[in-house]
Amino acid sequence: MRKIISHLLPIFTLTIFFFSGEIKAQNTPVRHITYKGIPLTGSVTHFYNELERKEFAPLKEVTGEETKIYHRGVFASYKSIVRTLSTPITCTVYGTITYIEEHTGWKEIFKDYSVFKDNLTAVYGKPSYVKEEFQAPYIRNDGYSMKALAEGKVNYTAEWWLDNGTIKIRIIQLHQGSGCVEIDYMDKENLILKDTEQTTIIRNDL
């Protein structure tokens, strides 16, 4: 029996070592948070090109003198529109805001929220912050959920605070009479850069 154990021990030890290495590799933080496998860093042009390689089509929204660029595509199997955020001076990408396909009914919106919350929890663990409530005079499933959403009386939010950034999901009113799940990816390092550049702009004008 002892001879059998002595033969098995090196194999068992090797198996534990390999398993630990796999877990460590999966948990090793990377420098920048990624969106669809694309690091949230570098120039806006480069990021747009990477999105378009993943079959996201560019869209333009012109409001007065301001032009915003969005991309329409598929994110996590859902039809989506994504907006890329960049710093004010160097135009370094620091975040994305994704709007999942919209619905006119609360049941469908809440279902999408639950699907993303469950899957993000499976990937990143328990959310760092959760708040899910209706504010008075509304309560969930009272038949007035969309009215409550339109009045800003709904707060369904979950956040994951990672070493390299933050992922946040929430339910929002997208257009009058409709809502959707919004998913934000924010890179920790470049979000600090954004604040630094914004401070530089302010102080240069003083």
Side-chain angles (χ1 to χ4, degrees):
M1 183 69 179
R2 288 181 179 176
K3 186 176 290 187
I4 294 173
I5 292 174
S6 65
H7 283 295
L8 289 177
L9 187 58
I11 298 173
F12 179 75
T13 304
L14 181 61
T15 303
I16 291 296
F17 176 80
F18 177 77
F19 183 75
S20 299
E22 286 294 298
I23 294 298
K24 183 178 180 181
Q26 292 174 19
N27 290 336
T28 301
V30 294
R31 180 176 176 182
H32 296 285
I33 198 168
T34 60
Y35 178 82
K36 286 187 71 70
I38 311 169
L40 292 184
T41 192
S43 71
V44 174
T45 301
H46 174 75
F47 192 81
Y48 286 170
N49 289 337
E50 291 298 310
L51 279 179
E52 288 162 23
R53 285 195 185 98
K54 294 180 181 290
E55 300 184 351
F56 274 71
L59 302 169
K60 284 186 179 181
E61 179 184 275
V62 180
T63 306
E65 297 181 355
E66 183 180 15
T67 300
K68 294 180 181 178
I69 304 295
Y70 296 86
H71 283 80
R72 185 192 303 275
V74 176
F75 177 74
S77 300
Y78 285 78
K79 294 178 182 178
S80 308
I81 293 176
V82 56
R83 180 184 175 193
T84 303
L85 306 177
S86 60
T87 63
I89 296 176
T90 61
C91 294
T92 301
V93 173
Y94 70 84
T96 56
I97 299 175
T98 303
Y99 305 100
I100 302 304
E101 53 193 271
E102 62 183 309
H103 302 285
T104 56
W106 172 259
K107 182 179 179 181
E108 293 80 9
I109 300 170
F110 179 72
K111 180 181 178 182
D112 290 350
Y113 174 86
S114 298
V115 166
F116 276 98
K117 182 182 175 185
D118 290 347
N119 280 283
L120 284 165
T121 298
V123 174
Y124 297 104
K126 184 178 177 182
S128 308
Y129 170 85
V130 177
K131 191 164 189 176
E132 298 172 345
E133 66 177 12
F134 279 77
Q135 297 174 14
Y138 302 102
I139 59 174
R140 185 182 166 189
N141 297 327
D142 63 357
Y144 297 97
S145 297
M146 294 304 292
K147 189 172 186 293
L149 184 61
E151 294 180 9
K153 299 285 189 177
V154 176
N155 187 352
Y156 270 65
T157 303
E159 298 180 9
W160 287 261
W161 304 336
L162 310 177
D163 290 337
N164 56 0
T166 301
I167 300 173
K168 175 181 177 180
I169 62 172
R170 61 181 184 140
I171 293 176
I172 64 165
Q173 181 187 29
L174 189 59
H175 298 109
Q176 187 173 357
S178 70
C180 73
V181 174
E182 176 191 304
I183 306 176
D184 303 341
Y185 281 69
M186 298 292 162
D187 183 74
K188 183 177 181 179
E189 181 178 316
N190 288 332
L191 193 59
I192 294 172
L193 176 63
K194 187 265 291 186
D195 292 338
T196 300
E197 291 185 8
Q198 189 62 51
T199 298
T200 299
I201 291 172
I202 293 170
R203 291 180 180 177
N204 283 344
D205 284 344
L206 298 179

